[in-house]
């Protein structure tokens, strides 16, 4: 309403009321005979009295403002608002009583009987709606009827409520809400489906809710579930406190409580949680987790678990005790935290198959390999050098083998061109300008053990450590315009701390018949010291590209192009068996004959056993192919490309210094994607250029070529074809009729539309091998069909199908899991069953949140032997 027009109405109203005197918009009350007065300035209301408030009250109304000066009352109609300090009240009707400093807000009723303009109250961080609000400006207290307040994920429905602002002298510095006959719930429905009902409640916003004797109501019906009292933390800020168990468990460890612990927010950057699961048969699990974060620098989390698992052995009186441990740590550095330094990675280490013993789900059961990687990198400013330190770990939960590398230190120099002139503007590029040099050095300590002996002295005995460095000189030249020439010279040196010496020991044993048997036993002795293992080599490569194409300007076919990338490489290395290297020694393998075997004298290298070949001069060759076809699309009126062969490469090598079989087996492999990438084909074959001789009905490889020995070009020794298809049901239907998928009705889906989001993965592998008998055999090595997805039976019902994988070769399913889920708005009902794991669970309870401990019933059952 326009303020000038409002003042005019007020003046006319005041002239009609003979009991008031108007002077400069100051209106004095002559009837009461005291100093109380009402002062109106614009749209502000001043109450001038020794007991009145000292700050003006702002007010607005869309329909009308009515003054009752006899009773000192102002009536505001139509989207009315009043503001006083931090307090704000909005409603369709507000009455201001000046004598008592009281504001009363309530809704109005329209012609249809519907209430409009439900009062809204806001004071500082607090806001809520109610059917009626009474607020005292001076005491900063209010009375509310049928209020709904929200604190975090909790809704508090109060029949009668008293509000005390933190600015009131009776508040002790906090906003306080007292409720009578109230329900606390996490359901956001107008009439909540469940809640904890109590006659008395005290709410301290951003701190906690305290309730007296209370019981759980479901659908407005009280249940036998009673609580003598309750504390519900609703703090938005982290606070230390005891964590009570949210569920109980019952399995082969007996009855137990899970989630007893303590939460400790150490600082604004770090918090810790300590949890314990306790079972009545003696088993327990300790869990320590933490999160940390420093803005613009780094963030991470960690978890340490120890499980003391006691289980009864079926059909016996024995008990098995397992004590697995799990350590997880993840650290991420912000991209802009430091210009030269980075640190981050993840650690995931377990002992005694922690996940398999602790969790019952196919994902954990199928996770047989655990890996960890942690890295620290530092790039020296204005330098070509980079320093790195890392930790790596690989663990197999089936074989229990564990490989740990720590520390792994390296110094790398990026490729530099030492002969290149810095002043490029005064001279042309010379051939030596393209020569580049690189260098790297590494120190490594590694441990190969098992997860059951990781924290024992035996682990220290398996420790291996060493140092190696590598220098490389290479260049890149172009000649005859289309050919690239890349020479390379490299030098490697490894310093090890162990050498080995093998000897043959004669041993005489008596068999069961009493006869003596003499055979040789090889013994290995390790010598400590510092030993140098040096190798070097030279190589060169030549490659180019050849294109061939056929084009057409008319019709559907517009052309085909064949891209060929041939390359030839030359590699040379000396014979390390001979002087001056003498890296190998020989030893007799038995006293019964004169057969010797060679062995490398270096041992226990953390970089793995070196592979040192005899003197060789290899010529490698490869031919990569790509074929594309171009066609005209009438639908899009443009020419499109389609790959016929995306990649198909033949490769092999020829050893000039070998005494026989100089030409290697020629390998070919390639891949193609079909049906818009839904299906991928992987294929390959091996071609042996040497012939075959039949000896005792068995084929023996001949030293002569097959074309000379057997009148055929090559032998196909093996080949394979792998077909991998992954798609959804919707994609499958869209391949035939895309319009059907576009017309999918999400509100009323048809039977086939229920399965549109299902993912199907089909893998089928074929292999061909030539047997030693000379016969070719074809086999199917893998045929697997996996289905994952959810079927929304209704808007609330859903069937979950997880990892339904059928193996056609073994004729069985692999770790299938079936589930049924019902969304009950604020509740959730869920049933999961994994038959191969012998595990099932039933859950009925409140969705995750502050009241998720309300579960009817709450169980987790395990039955049968774990597989």
């Amino acid at each position: 309403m326009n303020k000038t027009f409002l003042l005019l109405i007020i003046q006319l109203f005041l002239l009609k009321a003979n009991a008031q005197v108007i002077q400069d918009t100051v209106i004095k009350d002559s009837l009461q005979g005291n100093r109380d007065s009402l002062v109106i300035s614009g749209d502000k209301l001043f109450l001038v009295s020794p007991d009145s408030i000292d700050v003006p009250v702002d007010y607005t109304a869309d329909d009308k403002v009515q003054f009752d000066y006899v009773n000192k009352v102002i009536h505001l109609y139509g989207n009315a608002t009043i503001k006083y300090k931090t307090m704000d009240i909005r409603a369709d009707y507000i009455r201001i009583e000046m004598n008592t400093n009281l504001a009363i807000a309530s809704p109005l009723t329209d012609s249809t009987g519907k209430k409009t303009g439900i009062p809204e109250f806001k004071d500082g961080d607090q806001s809520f709606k109610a059917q009626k609000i009474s607020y005292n400006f001076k005491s900063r207290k209010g009375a509310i009827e049928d209020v709904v307040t929200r604190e975090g994920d909790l809704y508090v429905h109060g029949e009668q409520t008293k509000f005390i602002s933190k600015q009131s002298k009776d508040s002790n510095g906090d906003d306080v809400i007292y409720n009578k006959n109230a329900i606390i719930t996490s359901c956001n429905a107008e009439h909540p489906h469940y809640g904890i009902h109590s006659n008395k409640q005290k709410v301290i916003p951003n701190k906690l809710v305290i309730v007296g004797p209370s019981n759980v109501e479901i659908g407005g019906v009280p249940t036998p579930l009673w609580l003598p009292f309750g504390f519900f933390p609703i703090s938005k800020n982290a606070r230390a406190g005891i964590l009570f168990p949210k569920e109980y468990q019952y399995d082969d460890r007996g009855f137990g409580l899970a989630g007893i612990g303590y939460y400790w927010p150490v600082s604004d950057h770090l918090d810790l949680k300590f949890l314990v699961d306790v079972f009545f048969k003696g088993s327990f699990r300790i869990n320590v987790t933490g999160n940390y974060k420093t803005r613009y620098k780094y963030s991470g989390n960690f978890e340490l678990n120890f499980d003391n698992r006691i289980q009864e052995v079926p059909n016996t009186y024995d008990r098995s005790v397992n004590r697995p441990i799990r350590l997880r740590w993840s650290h991420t550095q912000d991209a802009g935290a430091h210009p030269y330094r980075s640190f981050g990675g993840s650690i995931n280490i377990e002992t005694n198959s922690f996940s398999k013993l602790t969790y019952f789900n196919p994902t954990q059961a199928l996770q047989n390999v655990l890996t960890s990687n942690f890295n620290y990198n530092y790039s020296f400013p204005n330098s070509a050098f980079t320093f790195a330190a890392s930790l790596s770990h690989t663990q197999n939960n089936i074989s229990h083998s564990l490989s740990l590398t720590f520390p792994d230190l390296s110094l790398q120099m990026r490729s530099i061109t030492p002969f290149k002139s810095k002043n490029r503007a005064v001279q042309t590029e010379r051939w030596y300008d393209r020569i580049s040099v690189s260098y790297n050095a590494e120190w490594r300590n590694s441990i190969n053990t098992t997860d059951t002996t990781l924290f024992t002295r035996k682990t220290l005995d398996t420790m291996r450590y060493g140092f190696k460095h590598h220098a490389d000189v290479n260049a890149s030249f172009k000649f005859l315009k289309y050919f690239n020439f890349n020479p390379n010279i490299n030098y490697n040196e490894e310093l090890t701390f162990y050498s080995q010496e093998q000897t043959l020991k004669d041993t005489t044993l008596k068999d069961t018949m009493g006869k003596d048997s003499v055979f040789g036993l090889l013994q290995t002795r390790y010598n400590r010291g510092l030993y140098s293992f040096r190798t070097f080599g030279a190589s060169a490569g030549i490659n180019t590209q050849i294109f061939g194409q056929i084009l057409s300007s008319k019709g559907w076919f517009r052309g085909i192009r064949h891209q060929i990338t041939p390359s030839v490489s030359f590699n040379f290395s000396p014979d390390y068996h001979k002087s001056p290297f003498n890296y190998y020694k020989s030893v007799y393998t038995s006293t019964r004959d004169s057969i010797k075997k060679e062995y490398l004298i270096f041992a226990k290298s953390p970089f793995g056993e070196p592979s040192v070949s005899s003197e060789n001069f290899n010529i490698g060759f490869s031919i990569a192919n790509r074929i594309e076809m171009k066609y005209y699309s009438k639908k899009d009126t443009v020419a499109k490309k389609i790959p016929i062969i995306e990649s198909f490469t033949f490769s092999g090598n020829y050893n000039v210094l070998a005494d026989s079989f100089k030409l290697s087996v020629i390998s070919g492999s390639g891949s193609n994607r079909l049906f818009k990438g839904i299906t991928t084909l992987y294929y390959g074959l091996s071609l042996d250029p040497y012939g075959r001789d039949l000896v005792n009905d068995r084929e023996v490889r001949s030293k002569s070529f097959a074309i000379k020995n057997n009148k055929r070009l090559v032998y196909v020794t093996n080949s394979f074809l792998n077909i991998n298809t992954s798609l959804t049901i919707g994609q499958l239907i869209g391949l035939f009729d895309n319009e059907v998928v576009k017309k999918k009705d999400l509100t009323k889906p048809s039977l086939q539309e229920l399965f549109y989001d299902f993912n199907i993965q089909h893998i089928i592998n074929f292999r061909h091998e030539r047997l030693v008998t000379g016969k070719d055999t074809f086999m199917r090595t893998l045929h697997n069909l996996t289905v994952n997805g959810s079927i929304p039976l209704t808007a609330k019902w859903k069937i979950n199908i997880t990892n339904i994988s059928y193996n056609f070769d073994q004729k069985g399913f692999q770790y299938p899991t079936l589930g049924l889920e019902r969304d009950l708005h604020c509740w959730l009902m869920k049933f999961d069953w994994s038959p191969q794991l012998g595990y099932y669970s039933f859950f009925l309870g409140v969705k995750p949140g502050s009241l998720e401990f309300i579960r009817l019933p709450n169980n987790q059952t395990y039955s049968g032997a774990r597989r």
Side-chain angles (χ1 to χ4, degrees):
M1 182 180 291
N2 186 274
K3 295 180 180 179
T4 304
F5 182 67
L6 176 62
L7 289 175
L8 180 60
I9 295 176
I10 294 174
Q11 291 175 358
L12 292 174
F13 176 77
L14 295 178
L15 288 173
K16 188 176 181 180
N18 297 325
Q20 285 80 26
V21 178
I22 304 175
Q23 182 178 0
D24 297 332
T25 69
V26 178
I27 305 166
K28 297 183 179 180
D29 187 356
S30 59
L31 297 176
Q32 299 296 329
N34 54 33
R35 297 176 57 194
D36 291 359
S37 62
L38 168 67
V39 181
I40 301 176
S41 177
D43 59 349
K44 291 183 172 58
L45 173 69
F46 295 85
L47 301 177
V48 182
S49 170
D51 299 325
S52 67
I53 57 179
D54 56 355
V55 177
V57 178
D58 294 340
Y59 66 91
T60 62
D62 287 352
D63 293 346
K64 66 177 179 179
V65 179
Q66 182 178 355
F67 296 90
D68 182 355
Y69 289 101
V70 176
N71 298 311
K72 294 185 178 181
V73 177
I74 300 177
H75 302 273
L76 307 176
Y77 295 92
N79 194 23
T81 63
I82 59 172
K83 295 181 180 179
Y84 175 69
K85 291 185 178 181
T86 61
M87 186 275 301
D88 185 351
I89 298 178
R90 299 174 182 270
D92 263 9
Y93 170 71
I94 300 177
R95 184 173 77 253
I96 303 174
E97 298 180 357
M98 294 173 289
N99 285 331
T100 57
N101 298 324
L102 193 66
I104 302 172
S106 61
L108 294 178
T109 305
D110 60 14
S111 59
T112 62
K114 182 180 179 181
K115 292 184 178 181
T116 62
I118 303 298
E120 298 181 22
F121 178 87
K122 183 177 181 181
D123 191 350
D125 296 333
Q126 296 304 305
S127 61
F128 46 79
K129 293 183 178 181
Q131 293 298 316
K132 184 178 181 181
I133 297 176
S134 300
Y135 184 79
N136 190 294
F137 297 104
K138 186 174 183 179
S139 65
R140 305 302 296 270
K141 298 179 181 180
I144 310 165
E145 295 181 8
D146 296 330
V147 66
V148 179
T149 60
R150 181 176 181 179
E151 302 294 340
D153 65 334
L154 295 179
Y155 297 86
V156 181
H157 295 250
E159 184 176 301
Q160 294 182 0
T161 302
K162 180 180 180 181
F163 173 76
I164 302 177
S165 173
K166 61 183 176 182
Q167 298 178 2
S168 173
K169 62 180 180 179
D170 299 328
S171 67
N172 296 323
D174 289 315
D175 290 332
V176 182
I177 300 174
Y178 293 97
N179 288 319
K180 182 179 180 181
N181 195 20
I183 291 179
I184 180 172
T185 179
S186 62
C187 179
N188 60 0
E190 182 179 357
H191 301 288
H193 300 112
Y194 84 99
I196 299 177
H197 178 271
S198 59
N199 290 328
K200 295 182 180 180
Q201 286 186 357
K202 179 179 180 181
V203 181
I204 303 178
N206 198 27
K207 284 190 177 181
L208 77 160
V209 177
I210 305 172
V211 300
S214 55
N215 77 301
V216 177
E217 286 188 359
I218 299 177
V221 179
T223 68
L225 300 177
W226 278 86
L227 297 173
F229 59 89
F231 298 89
F232 304 99
I234 56 174
S235 174
K236 298 178 182 178
N237 303 317
R239 297 176 183 272
I242 298 175
L243 301 175
F244 290 95
K246 294 183 178 180
E247 62 181 4
Y248 66 84
Q249 294 181 351
Y250 183 77
D251 53 30
D252 50 349
R253 294 168 293 178
F255 183 86
L257 296 176
I260 307 172
Y262 187 80
Y263 175 74
W264 179 28
V266 181
S267 66
D268 293 338
H269 308 289
L270 172 66
D271 65 349
L272 296 174
K273 184 188 293 185
F274 305 89
L275 294 176
V276 178
D277 299 348
V278 181
F279 294 84
F280 287 3
K281 291 185 178 181
S283 298
F284 64 87
R285 181 166 70 236
I286 301 175
N287 174 271
V288 180
T289 60
N291 299 275
Y292 58 89
K293 182 176 183 179
T294 299
R295 195 176 183 183
Y296 305 124
K297 290 186 177 181
Y298 54 81
S299 62
N301 57 79
F302 56 88
E303 180 181 7
L304 177 62
N305 286 273
F306 172 76
D307 194 356
N308 184 74
R309 192 178 188 87
I310 302 175
Q311 295 174 284
E312 295 180 356
V313 179
N315 303 322
T316 66
Y317 295 99
D318 296 334
R319 298 193 305 172
S320 65
V321 180
N322 290 297
R323 295 185 175 89
I325 299 174
R326 181 179 66 182
L327 171 64
R328 290 186 177 181
W329 180 27
S330 177
H331 180 89
T332 304
Q333 178 177 306
D334 192 276
H338 199 278
Y340 308 114
R341 184 175 60 242
S342 65
F343 177 68
S346 61
I347 293 178
N348 185 8
I349 300 177
E350 295 183 2
T351 65
N352 298 327
S353 301
F354 181 92
S355 295
K356 291 182 180 294
L357 288 173
T358 307
Y359 301 107
F360 306 99
N361 63 68
T363 303
Q364 296 291 345
L366 294 172
Q367 187 178 10
N368 296 321
V369 179
L370 304 177
T371 59
S372 302
N373 286 284
F374 234 89
N375 301 279
Y376 170 83
N377 295 276
Y378 183 81
S379 298
F380 294 92
N382 304 318
S383 172
F385 289 93
T386 301
F387 172 77
S390 65
L391 174 151
S392 62
H393 147 263
T394 303
Q395 180 180 348
N396 191 302
N397 285 334
I398 297 179
S399 63
H400 297 283
S401 62
L402 185 146
S403 176
L404 177 65
T405 301
F406 177 75
D408 191 348
L409 309 176
S410 67
L411 179 68
Q412 294 184 348
M413 183 189 75
R414 71 171 184 270
S415 182
I416 61 174
T417 52
F419 305 109
K420 187 175 183 179
S421 175
K422 296 181 180 180
N423 190 358
R424 190 78 277 151
V426 298
Q427 56 178 298
T428 59
E429 186 180 52
R430 306 294 183 181
W431 67 269
Y432 49 78
D433 290 338
R434 304 184 67 87
I435 298 176
S436 61
V437 179
S438 62
Y439 173 81
N440 64 73
E442 185 176 4
W443 167 271
R444 178 179 295 178
N445 178 62
S446 66
I447 298 172
N448 292 306
T449 182
T450 63
D451 57 11
T452 57
T453 59
L454 177 60
F455 299 103
T456 63
R457 182 173 180 81
K458 185 179 178 180
T459 300
L460 299 177
D461 298 334
T462 64
M463 189 176 296
R464 299 183 178 185
Y465 42 89
F467 171 83
K468 72 173 183 178
H469 58 145
H470 168 82
D472 188 273
V473 180
N474 59 75
S476 177
F477 307 105
K478 186 179 288 290
F479 69 97
L480 299 179
K481 193 177 180 179
Y482 300 108
F483 293 89
N484 298 311
F485 177 60
N486 303 290
N488 175 273
I489 300 175
N490 61 79
Y491 172 79
N492 301 275
E493 182 180 20
E494 180 179 342
L495 300 179
T496 63
F497 296 87
Y498 286 94
S499 69
Q500 64 176 337
E501 184 176 353
Q502 296 183 4
T503 57
L504 179 64
K505 179 181 179 182
D506 293 336
T507 303
T508 303
L509 296 177
K510 290 186 177 180
D511 58 19
T512 56
M513 302 300 294
K515 296 180 179 180
D516 293 341
S517 176
V518 180
F519 63 96
L521 177 64
L522 286 178
Q523 289 186 329
T524 303
R525 185 180 65 184
Y526 296 99
N527 303 315
R528 287 182 176 269
L530 182 61
Y531 306 93
S532 297
F533 173 59
R534 302 182 181 92
T535 61
F536 66 92
S539 64
I542 301 174
N543 64 79
T544 187
Q545 288 186 339
I546 303 172
F547 296 92
Q549 61 182 8
I550 300 174
L551 299 178
S552 175
S553 59
K554 298 180 179 180
W556 174 81
F557 176 78
R558 292 302 174 92
I560 188 169
R561 187 179 76 160
H562 185 192
Q563 177 184 345
I564 305 173
T565 307
S567 64
V568 180
S569 62
F570 305 90
N571 296 274
F572 171 78
S573 62
D575 189 351
Y576 298 102
H577 297 72
K578 301 177 182 179
S579 179
F581 304 102
N582 296 321
Y583 291 160
Y584 284 85
K585 290 184 178 181
S586 59
V587 61
Y588 287 102
T589 59
S590 175
T591 59
R592 292 171 291 184
D593 49 44
S594 58
I595 299 177
K596 286 187 175 182
K597 79 161 190 174
E598 284 188 323
Y599 65 93
L600 188 67
I601 62 174
F602 304 104
K604 294 188 176 182
S605 171
F607 305 101
E609 185 175 350
S611 176
V612 182
S613 60
S614 300
E615 182 180 18
N616 68 82
F617 179 31
N618 280 323
I619 302 175
F621 55 89
S622 68
I623 301 176
N625 299 269
R626 178 180 176 86
I627 301 177
E628 293 179 335
M629 184 182 70
K630 184 182 289 187
Y631 68 96
Y632 181 78
S633 174
K634 292 183 178 180
K635 180 179 180 181
D636 300 322
T637 66
V638 294
K640 293 186 176 182
K641 292 181 180 179
I642 179 173
I644 299 176
I645 296 179
E646 294 188 30
S647 174
F648 188 64
T649 304
F650 283 100
S651 61
N653 66 81
Y654 184 84
N655 190 349
V656 178
L657 301 179
D659 55 358
S660 60
F661 301 110
K662 293 184 178 183
L663 183 61
S664 70
V665 173
I666 300 172
S667 300
S669 62
S671 64
N672 274 78
R673 288 176 296 175
L674 306 176
F675 310 116
K676 298 181 180 181
I678 291 176
T679 299
T680 304
L681 304 180
Y682 301 96
Y683 45 88
L685 73 166
S686 298
L687 307 176
D688 192 348
Y690 289 94
R692 297 292 190 271
D693 294 328
L694 196 60
V695 179
N696 297 328
D697 296 329
R698 298 173 68 89
E699 281 191 345
V700 178
R701 196 181 187 201
S702 174
K703 293 183 179 180
S704 302
F705 288 109
I707 194 170
K708 178 181 179 181
N709 197 67
N710 305 101
K711 306 302 180 183
R712 58 190 301 177
L713 184 61
V714 292
Y715 279 92
V716 181
T717 57
N718 62 73
S719 60
F720 69 89
L721 173 63
N722 299 340
I723 306 174
N724 191 336
T725 301
S726 180
L727 77 166
T728 63
I729 299 294
Q731 288 177 314
L732 180 61
I733 297 175
L735 291 176
F736 304 97
D737 191 350
N738 195 35
E739 295 299 325
V740 175
V741 180
K742 292 181 179 180
K743 295 178 181 178
K744 177 183 178 182
D745 188 357
L746 297 177
T747 58
K748 297 180 180 180
S750 63
L751 180 61
Q752 66 178 14
E753 290 173 346
L754 294 175
F755 297 88
Y756 270 14
D757 295 329
F758 258 68
N759 181 268
I760 301 176
Q761 185 177 26
H762 179 245
I763 300 175
I764 182 168
N765 297 344
F766 300 96
R767 185 175 180 83
H768 152 260
E769 286 186 1
R770 185 176 179 85
L771 303 178
V772 294
T773 59
K775 294 183 178 181
D776 292 322
T777 176
F778 297 87
M779 66 190 78
R780 187 181 68 197
T781 57
L782 177 64
H783 190 192
N784 204 60
L785 180 66
T786 304
V787 179
N788 291 279
S790 298
I791 304 175
L793 300 178
T794 65
K796 301 296 185 179
W797 281 99
K798 182 169 63 174
I799 296 178
N800 296 321
I801 299 178
T802 307
N803 197 54
I804 303 299
S805 179
Y806 185 80
N807 190 301
F808 290 90
D809 297 318
Q810 298 179 1
K811 297 181 180 180
F813 290 94
Q814 296 179 327
Y815 293 106
T817 300
L818 302 175
L820 183 64
E821 188 174 318
R822 173 70 163 96
D823 187 347
L824 301 171
H825 185 256
C826 48
W827 285 59
L828 181 67
M829 183 180 71
K830 190 175 181 181
F831 175 79
D832 290 314
W833 176 49
S834 182
Q836 276 193 292
L837 289 175
Y839 166 74
Y840 65 88
S841 68
F842 177 79
F843 171 86
L844 175 62
V846 176
K847 290 182 178 179
S850 299
L851 302 181
E852 63 180 330
F853 62 88
I854 301 177
R855 303 183 179 192
L856 299 172
N858 175 18
N859 59 33
Q860 188 175 24
T861 305
Y862 166 76
S863 176
R866 193 171 302 135
R867 303 179 185 179

